[in-house]
Amino acid sequence: MPLPFSHIVYADKILRTKLKDRQIDEQEFFVGTVFPDVRYLVKDKRETTHPKFKNSQEIFNKVMGEKDSFKLGWLVHLYIDLKWAEYWLEYFGQDVEKYLKNLTALNVLSDQYLFNGFKHKSKIKEYLNEVSSKETQYYKLQDIKKWHEFVKRFLERKLDYNLGKEVIKMIGRDEKIIDIDMVYGRVESLKEDKFVVDKIRKFSKEL
């Protein structure tokens, strides 16, 4: 599913379109948007922060009815995840294995494509200087702070090979599990596929 930076950019798009007439605490919203993937850091099971839904429309219906800004951001994260999966599985002809094989590289490409055009990086980074009390209802304060620092790295510079290695270490993942050389080899290969690059550019129109 999309990496933290892409999640922020796509959530910002939804905030300024689908949710533009709502009274929303932006800080709580964006903290909620990046919160679900803290599970990677604390090594928790996916179901804890990513409850299952039948499809993206089911989640979107909940988005439109949610009043709490933090929970709203959380739901938007889940919506983007499932919308992303639906979008690319359609492209790969429902070939889940092929989709998963390319997923990490697609996520990296998305971050790289979106980075220069997003103008609110400093503001979102400031939001992440604070921890929401709602986050600490689920995980320890020290883990939440570490997660915020992790996400801020994606806001500081465009995701490249060196930053990729850095964030893998920050989150405590084994580089033997995430073969970064293979991932970035696939990224370079996908960059040459004009249709894939165009699909990445057009994804935000689906939200």
Side-chain angles (χ1 to χ4, degrees), residues 147-197:
W147 176 247
H148 283 208
E149 291 304 312
F150 175 82
V151 175
K152 284 195 284 186
R153 296 299 290 124
F154 290 87
L155 290 157
E156 290 167 353
R157 75 174 200 257
K158 185 183 291 188
L159 182 58
D160 58 12
Y161 180 87
N162 290 328
L163 179 56
K165 292 195 75 169
E166 182 181 322
V167 297
I168 286 172
K169 289 179 180 178
M170 283 184 71
I171 208 169
R173 299 299 291 271
D174 191 336
E175 290 185 52
K176 294 178 182 177
I177 296 174
I178 302 175
D179 187 337
I180 196 163
D181 290 309
M182 183 185 73
V183 168
Y184 275 87
R186 197 173 298 281
V187 168
E188 292 305 313
S189 177
L190 288 176
K191 280 181 180 178
E192 301 303 314
D193 188 328
K194 293 181 180 180
F195 190 75
V196 167
V197 173

Side-chain angles (χ1 to χ4, degrees), residues 11-26:
D12 183 75
K13 192 272 175 89
I14 292 170
L15 181 66
R16 300 181 194 290
T17 54
K18 300 289 195 302
L19 303 174
K20 64 180 180 180
D21 297 322
R22 301 269 294 274
Q23 292 294 317
I24 295 169
D25 181 322
E26 281 199 16

Side-chain angles (χ1 to χ4, degrees), residues 3-12 15 19 26-38 50 69-78 80-81 124 128 135 147 151:
L3 297 172
F5 184 78
S6 292
H7 262 295
I8 289 167
V9 177
Y10 294 140
D12 183 75
L15 181 66
L19 303 174
E26 281 199 16
Q27 183 166 14
E28 286 281 299
F29 174 80
F30 282 107
V31 167
T33 290
V34 299
F35 171 74
D37 285 341
V38 70
H50 292 71
S69 297
F70 176 81
K71 292 180 181 177
L72 181 62
W74 188 338
L75 283 169
V76 165
H77 176 107
L78 302 181
I80 292 166
D81 270 356
I124 306 301
L128 291 168
E135 294 178 279
W147 176 247
V151 175

